[in-house]
C-alpha cells in the first residue's frame, strides 16, 4: 500500500521540484549523478526544476576554507565565487544529456511582490516550454536577512507553491524522518507522515553539518507544511544513494512521504498564503468572522470594526477577529483611508460616502484565503 501511494504520487505529478543540499554536491561526480537522475525524471515526461545549494560551499573550496563564516559580507563573497563555478558544471552536465540549463537567482522579495512573483512564474513556465531545466538558488551574494528565505528547503517549497508542482523531492543526507529511541538517539525511519503535529516536529533534529551548510530536518518539516497545505506531496529521500531518483521513479518505499493535506489551492490563494506581505489589518465582528470561516463569503464593509496600517487598493491585508486572532488574508478593494470611511456601513452606502463607483465587497471571497 505504501509503495502504491508513492507510485501514484509520482505518476500523477506533471511538475517536480528537486532540491539538493550542499553536502550532496561535494564534487563533479556527485553533480553528474544528480543531473543523470534529473534526466531520468525528464525522460518520463516530467517538467523538472532544480533548487540547488552549494554556491557558498564551492566558494569555500575555492578559497580552501573549512568552516562557514558568520559575517554576511564573507558569505556573500563566497556565493559570488561559487555560483559561477557551480553553474558552469551544471551547464556542462546538462548539455551532455541533451538539454540546456538556465539560472535563476532569487530573493524573498521577488516572490512577495505580486508582479515579480508572476514574472518568475512565467519565466519558469517559458523555460519548461523550451525544454530547459530551471536551476534556482537564493541570491546569497546580495541577500540580507529581511530578503532571505532562511534555507533552500523553504525556497523549494515556495517554488512548488508558485509553480503548482505536484511533487517536491528533498534530497538530503538522511534516509528520511526517523523516530526517536528512549535514549534520544535516532530510531526507525518513518515511511509516511499524514499530519505534521507537534509530536512529529519534536522528532526533528539538525542533520546537516553547520560548518558547511544550513538547514536540517526542522527546515524540511517546515517545507513539508507549505507543500502539503498547498495540496501537493513532499518526499524526503536519501540523496547519497546513486539510485535515489530511480527508486522514486519506481515508487519504492524509501525516505519519508508527506501526502497533500487538502485539495490544491488556486494560484492566487497560494500567493496570499505563502508569499504576500500584509500591509495592514482589518478587524471584523463575530458575524463576519463566522461568515468568512464557515460560509465562504466575501467581506462586506458592514462587518469591519477597525482598520490598522497604511495600504492601497490591491494590497494584501490580514483579517482578525475581535479577540485579535488573525485567521485570513486577502486582497483589499479599498485603501486604508477609504476603509476607515466605510467600516460598519452597508454596501449600498459606499458610493455615496466615497463619491465614486466602487466594489460592494472590501475583500471578495475569490481573493481571500483562510490561514
Amino acid at each position: 500500500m505504501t509503495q502504491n501511494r508513492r507510485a501514484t504520487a509520482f505518476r500523477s505529478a506533471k511538475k517536480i521540484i528537486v532540491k539538493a543540499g550542499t553536502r550532496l554536491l561535494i564534487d563533479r561526480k556527485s553533480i553528474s549523478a544528480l543531473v543523470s537522475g534529473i534526466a531520468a525524471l525528464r525522460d518520463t515526461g516530467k517538467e523538472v526544476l532544480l533548487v540547488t545549494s552549494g554556491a557558498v560551499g564551492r566558494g569555500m573550496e575555492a578559497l580552501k576554507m573549512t568552516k562557514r563564516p558568520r559575517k554576511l559580507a564573507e558569505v556573500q563573497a563566497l556565493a559570488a565565487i561559487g555560483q559561477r563555478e557551480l553553474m558552469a558544471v551544471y551547464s556542462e552536465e546538462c548539455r551532455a544529456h541533451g538539454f540546456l540549463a538556465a539560472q535563476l537567482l532569487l530573493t524573498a522579495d521577488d516572490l512577495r511582490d505580486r508582479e515579480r512573483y508572476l514574472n518568475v512564474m512565467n519565466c519558469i513556465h517559458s523555460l519548461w516550454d523550451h525544454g530547459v531545466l530551471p536551476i534556482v538558488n537564493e541570491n546569497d551574494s546580495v541577500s540580507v536577512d529581511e530578503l532571505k528565505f532562511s534555507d533552500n528547503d523553504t525556497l523549494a517549497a515556495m517554488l512548488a507553491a508558485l509553480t503548482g508542482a505536484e511533487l517536491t523531492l528533498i534530497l538530503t543526507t538522511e534516509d528520511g524522518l526517523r523516530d526517536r529511541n528512549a535514549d534520544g538517539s535516532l530510531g526507525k525511519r518513518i515511511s509516511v507522515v499524514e499530519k505534521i503535529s507537534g509530536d512529529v516536529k519534536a522528532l526533528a533534529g539538525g542533520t546537516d553539518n553547520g560548518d558547511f551548510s544550513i538547514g536540517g530536518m526542522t527546515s524540511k518539516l517546515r517545507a513539508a507544511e507549505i507543500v502539503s497545505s498547498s495540496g501537493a506531496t513532499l518526499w524526503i529521500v536519501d540523496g547519497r544513494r546513486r539510485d535515489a531518483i530511480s527508486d522514486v521513479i519506481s515508487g519504492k518505499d524509501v525516505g519519508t512521504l508527506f501526502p497533500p493535506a487538502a485539495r490544491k489551492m488556486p494560484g492566487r490563494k497560494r500567493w496570499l498564503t505563502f508569499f504576500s506581505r500584509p500591509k495592514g489589518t482589518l478587524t471584523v465582528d463575530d458575524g463576519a468572522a463566522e461568515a468568512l470561516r464557515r460560509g465562504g463569503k466575501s467581506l462586506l464593509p458592514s462587518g469591519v470594526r477597525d482598520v490598522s496600517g497604511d495600504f492601497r487598493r490591491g494590497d494584501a491585508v490580514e483579517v482578525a477577529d475581535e479577540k485579535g486572532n488573525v485567521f485570513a488574508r486577502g486582497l483589499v478593494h479599498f485603501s486604508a483611508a477609504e476603509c476607515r470611511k466605510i467600516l460598519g456601513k452597508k454596501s449600498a452606502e459606499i458610493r455615496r460616502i466615497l463619491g465614486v463607483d466602487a466594489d460592494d465587497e472590501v475583500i471578495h471571497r475569490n481573493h481571500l484565503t483562510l490561514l
Side-chain angles (χ1 to χ4, degrees):
M1 179 64 72
T2 298
Q3 184 169 342
N4 288 343
R5 291 184 78 173
R6 284 166 160 77
T8 299
F10 178 78
R11 186 171 57 250
S12 61
K14 297 179 180 178
K15 300 181 287 291
I16 298 178
I17 307 296
V18 177
K19 183 265 178 177
T22 297
R23 291 177 62 77
L24 296 176
L25 308 172
I26 55 177
D27 53 28
R28 179 65 177 258
K29 187 177 180 181
S30 61
I31 294 177
S32 178
L34 172 62
V35 175
S36 293
I38 289 172
L41 291 174
R42 287 168 53 95
D43 287 343
T44 66
K46 311 298 185 185
E47 294 177 324
V48 183
L49 179 149
L50 172 64
V51 176
T52 181
S53 301
V56 174
R58 291 191 77 82
M60 290 171 60
E61 290 177 359
L63 296 184
K64 296 180 169 52
M65 298 173 65
T66 58
K67 188 172 182 179
R68 185 184 178 97
R70 294 184 178 275
K71 291 184 178 180
L72 176 62
E74 292 183 10
V75 173
Q76 291 173 326
L78 291 173
I81 295 168
Q83 187 65 34
R84 186 200 66 81
E85 296 196 4
L86 185 63
M87 280 306 302
V89 175
Y90 275 128
S91 294
E92 290 181 20
E93 292 295 335
C94 289
R95 285 182 181 275
H97 287 277
F99 57 90
L100 299 177
Q103 174 181 259
L104 286 83
L105 296 176
L106 302 177
T107 68
D109 255 11
D110 293 321
L111 303 186
R112 288 172 182 154
D113 179 89
R114 178 68 179 170
E115 184 174 355
R116 287 155 69 182
Y117 167 95
L118 293 173
N119 287 339
V120 171
M121 181 176 68
N122 291 336
C123 177
I124 290 170
H125 282 283
S126 181
L127 291 170
W128 277 337
D129 288 343
H130 289 284
V132 178
L133 173 70
I135 299 181
V136 184
N137 199 356
E138 182 159 11
N139 197 351
D140 286 317
S141 61
V142 300
S143 284
V144 292
D145 284 346
E146 61 267 26
L147 298 182
K148 293 183 74 66
F149 294 99
S150 76
D151 54 73
N152 273 355
D153 295 323
T154 301
L155 174 56
M158 288 188 164
L159 286 169
L162 179 147
T163 60
E166 298 86 358
L167 178 62
T168 299
L169 298 179
I170 301 290
L171 302 179
T172 185
T173 53
E174 279 289 332
D175 60 354
L177 181 66
R178 294 165 67 183
D179 211 338
R180 292 281 181 177
N181 296 318
D183 62 2
S185 61
L186 293 175
K188 292 177 58 177
R189 173 181 65 92
I190 300 174
S191 178
V192 178
V193 174
E194 300 290 355
K195 182 179 180 181
I196 303 174
S197 62
D199 289 340
V200 170
K201 291 179 180 179
L203 298 174
T207 55
D208 290 337
N209 184 341
D211 289 343
F212 203 63
S213 60
I214 59 176
M217 196 56 69
T218 298
S219 72
K220 290 162 182 58
L221 291 184
R222 188 184 309 119
E225 283 187 297
I226 294 172
V227 172
S228 62
S229 63
S230 66
T233 300
L234 184 135
W235 192 347
I236 298 174
V237 180
D238 187 349
R240 296 169 298 181
R241 300 169 54 255
R242 292 187 62 85
D243 54 357
I245 291 181
S246 176
D247 286 346
V248 168
I249 295 172
S250 301
K252 292 185 178 179
D253 184 6
V254 296
T256 301
L257 193 75
F258 297 82
R263 64 185 180 85
K264 196 166 188 173
M265 283 185 188
R268 185 179 292 274
K269 293 195 175 186
R270 290 199 301 272
W271 179 78
L272 278 169
T273 302
F274 302 119
F275 304 104
S276 65
R277 179 175 283 181
K279 300 293 182 63
T281 302
L282 302 178
T283 300
V284 302
D285 62 28
D286 291 341
E290 181 68 16
L292 297 178
R293 284 172 168 150
R294 307 294 182 191
K297 303 296 185 180
S298 298
L299 176 60
L300 303 178
S302 58
V304 180
R305 288 291 171 265
D306 191 30
V307 179
S308 64
D310 183 16
F311 50 84
R312 298 176 297 177
R313 174 183 170 87
D315 281 344
V317 297
E318 292 178 326
V319 182
D321 60 27
E322 293 187 282
K323 294 179 180 179
N325 301 311
V326 174
F327 66 91
R329 191 176 292 177
L331 299 180
V332 69
H333 287 171
F334 302 94
S335 69
E338 290 170 332
C339 283
R340 291 186 178 99
K341 291 179 180 179
I342 63 174
L343 64 84
K345 305 298 184 181
K346 295 184 181 299
S347 296
E349 299 178 84
I350 295 176
R351 182 183 300 179
R352 176 182 59 80
I353 294 170
L354 299 182
V356 295
D357 288 335
D359 297 289
D360 291 338
E361 310 90 358
V362 177
I363 301 176
H364 192 277
R365 64 178 179 273
N366 291 342
H367 301 158
L368 183 139
T369 185
L370 298 178
L371 302 178

